[in-house]
Structure formats: C-alpha cells, structure tokens
Amino acid sequence: MARGSNGESVLSKHLRVLGAFEASEPFLTLSELSERAGLALSTAHRLVSELEREGLLERMPDLTYRLGVRLWELACRTPGALGLREIARPWLQQVHARVRQHVQLAVLSGTEVVFLDRLSARDAVINATLIGGRLPLTVSSSGLVLLAHAGPELLDQVLSAPLVRYNDRTIHTAAQLRAALRRVRADGWAITEGHIHEESRGIAVPVRGAHDDVIAAISVVVPNDGTPALGYLEPLLHAAREISVAMRAAYLPTGHPAATPGGRFRPLVSSSVRSMEYLESLAPADAPTPAP
C-alpha cells in the first residue's frame, strides 16, 4: 500500500476525508473537508477527486460534497452493518407497533455508539439520536449494554477521558459507571432514566451474533414517567432473540442445519416470502444486487 513521507497510507488519508462528514453535517465544501481531515488543500482536492470518480463522494450543484451512494451499496453487502439493519428492521417494526415511541438499533464504534436505524412516532418523547449519529457509550442505554459486554480494555479507554455529562442524572464518575455495568450484566438489560433529557428514558437489550458475542443493542426511548419497564422489556427481549437467531444463521456455512435457508440472498435481505422465492429463481446474471 502506498505511503506518504510521514508514513501514513493513502488509504488512511482517503478515510480521513470520508470520516469528515457527520450525520448533522452531510454536505461539506472542499475547504471544509481539507480542514476537518487535517490535509493540505491540494492534497484534499486530489483525494476528493479520486473518491468522486469511484462514486464514494458526490459533488452537488452548489459545489459541496456528500457521501456517495457507492458507500451505501458496499455497506449493504455485509451482515455486520446494513445487513444487520435489514435483518433487524421487521423486529424493530414489531416493537414500535407496541410502544409507539422511539425504537433504535445501535452498534459499537470505538468509545461511541452508532445508531444504524430508528423508528419514531411524530408525537414521541424527546430523543437525541440520529440514524448514522453517535453518542458516548456512557450516556445511553444502548451504549451501556455494548460497553458492559466489551473487554476491560475498552472500559479503561473510556475512563481515560472525562465522561460527558448532560445533567445531574448522567453517569459522570468511574464508580457510577462500574456499578451501572455490573447491573447491566446481572439484569441482561440497561435502563437510563433522564440521563440525556429528563423527560426521556432509555431501555436497551443486547443482540448476539454467530459466536454468542454481543454485536448490537436494540432500545426504546420512552417517557420517563415511572411506567413499569417490564412492558417495554418483553417485546425488546423477544425481538433481540429473533434478530440473534437470524444473525447466527446468516453467518453459518451453506448446508449447515441451522443456516439461513434459500441461498445467496436470504442472509442479508428481509422481504416477503414470494419475493424471496422470485429472487432465488433468477439466474445469477439477472439477479439484482441485494440491498435494503
């Protein structure tokens, strides 16, 4: 892999450009990309041009740039990210039909939680998450679930920096965090009452993958009104079990008794039974690329 004079690979520089975008700022100018990526303007211009040619960036009429559809297309082909989102979506819909608030799917990314999907009602309680957005692990119920099932080195990394604090209820000391994680591991779920906004309560449960490791969390954000949590936990736990079964099946080799049946599409795609049968009947050359 080609490397610059400072030892940084060209790929790393490309990733710095792509990583400059945020869910809250999806459109950036060339100069903004240069500044956010920490690159000289001439270098940023060259890298942006290369990414645009490959469809990983798209230039808008006002000369700003956004992430390209090609990135979404590639991400849809892995069960680890958007494939997980595709598998989980029907179960999130079932939970949402019960709670009529916010239901979301999240995964671990460094010391933060990234939200892959969210279903919301128009009159739902205040929620700070965005699809594709991030929060510190310590402030959300999903983050606590993911941190509780991660290795001790991640906890050390989280505690090496000051903990983000939204209000007096937010976990803000190492002792509070360690106690909360012990409760999550003992209970099998996390509940955060007013940790981000005093009107909102988060309740999250883990989703497990092929090796019984925790790969995601699903959660609800509901009014912080003292309603018993059991009414929310029951549909969440059921959905998490079903998603976990589907994710394990997607990773098993073809022919395994517990593998997802049906061939090349079913591990990543959730659709009607007849639609799946039709997709499988197509010759490979005629079959569309699986995507949500």
Side-chain angles (χ1 to χ4, degrees), residues 107-114 134-137 143 146 154 158:
V107 295
L108 180 68
S109 179
T111 59
E112 297 176 308
V113 55
V114 176
R134 294 169 174 260
L135 284 174
L137 288 171
L146 294 169
L154 180 57
V158 168

Side-chain angles (χ1 to χ4, degrees), residues 34-193:
S34 171
E35 181 179 355
R36 286 168 175 252
L39 298 168
L41 188 60
S42 58
T43 302
H45 182 269
R46 174 174 55 82
L47 297 174
V48 165
S49 296
E50 293 171 356
L51 291 167
E52 185 183 2
R53 283 198 302 272
E54 296 300 327
L56 301 177
L57 286 182
E58 295 176 2
R59 183 165 53 174
M60 308 304 294
D62 62 359
L63 301 185
T64 61
Y65 293 86
R66 69 180 182 184
L67 294 174
V69 173
R70 179 66 173 161
L71 278 175
W72 170 81
E73 180 184 356
L74 293 171
C76 288
R77 299 178 186 177
T78 170
L82 294 190
L84 166 62
R85 178 177 180 266
E86 177 77 354
I87 288 171
R89 175 53 80 95
W91 301 106
L92 297 184
Q93 290 172 330
Q94 285 197 11
V95 176
H96 186 251
R98 289 278 299 273
V99 305
R100 304 303 303 171
Q101 290 286 329
H102 305 280
V103 182
Q104 46 204 27
L105 172 70
V107 295
L108 180 68
S109 179
T111 59
E112 297 176 308
V113 55
V114 176
F115 293 90
L116 299 183
D117 204 359
R118 191 194 69 231
L119 301 174
S120 299
R122 294 287 295 176
D123 59 349
V125 72
I126 292 172
N127 183 9
T129 65
L130 298 170
I131 295 177
R134 294 169 174 260
L135 284 174
L137 288 171
T138 56
V139 305
S140 73
S141 57
S142 293
L144 291 177
V145 163
L146 294 169
L147 183 55
H149 293 90
E153 64 281 356
L154 180 57
L155 177 57
D156 292 340
Q157 186 179 353
V158 168
L159 291 175
S160 68
L163 301 183
V164 174
R165 187 173 183 177
Y166 283 82
N167 55 48
D168 290 341
R169 297 187 181 187
T170 310
I171 293 171
H172 59 276
T173 69
Q176 289 176 334
L177 180 57
R178 293 183 190 277
L181 297 178
R182 285 194 295 270
R183 285 196 300 272
V184 172
R185 287 188 284 265
D187 295 340
W189 56 78
I191 299 177
T192 54
E193 297 180 329

Side-chain angles (χ1 to χ4, degrees), residues 127-279:
N127 183 9
T129 65
L130 298 170
I131 295 177
R134 294 169 174 260
L135 284 174
L137 288 171
T138 56
V139 305
S140 73
S141 57
S142 293
L144 291 177
V145 163
L146 294 169
L147 183 55
H149 293 90
E153 64 281 356
L154 180 57
L155 177 57
D156 292 340
Q157 186 179 353
V158 168
L159 291 175
S160 68
L163 301 183
V164 174
R165 187 173 183 177
Y166 283 82
N167 55 48
D168 290 341
R169 297 187 181 187
T170 310
I171 293 171
H172 59 276
T173 69
Q176 289 176 334
L177 180 57
R178 293 183 190 277
L181 297 178
R182 285 194 295 270
R183 285 196 300 272
V184 172
R185 287 188 284 265
D187 295 340
W189 56 78
I191 299 177
T192 54
E193 297 180 329
H195 285 209
I196 296 178
H197 192 281
E198 62 182 10
E199 296 180 15
S200 305
R201 172 170 53 159
I203 304 173
V205 300
V207 174
R208 297 183 179 273
H211 306 290
D212 203 37
D213 53 331
V214 173
I215 60 171
I218 57 171
S219 63
V220 295
V221 177
V222 297
N224 188 23
D225 58 5
T227 302
L230 184 61
Y232 300 116
L233 282 167
E234 187 273 327
L236 274 175
L237 289 168
H238 175 72
R241 284 193 297 269
E242 295 298 332
I243 298 168
S244 297
V245 168
M247 288 301 296
R248 285 194 293 269
Y251 275 92
L252 291 172
T254 302
H256 190 283
T260 303
R264 62 189 182 277
F265 287 108
R266 291 184 187 270
L268 298 182
V269 179
S270 175
S271 188
S272 66
V273 173
R274 293 187 65 210
S275 297
M276 299 307 301
E277 291 172 348
Y278 170 71
L279 286 171

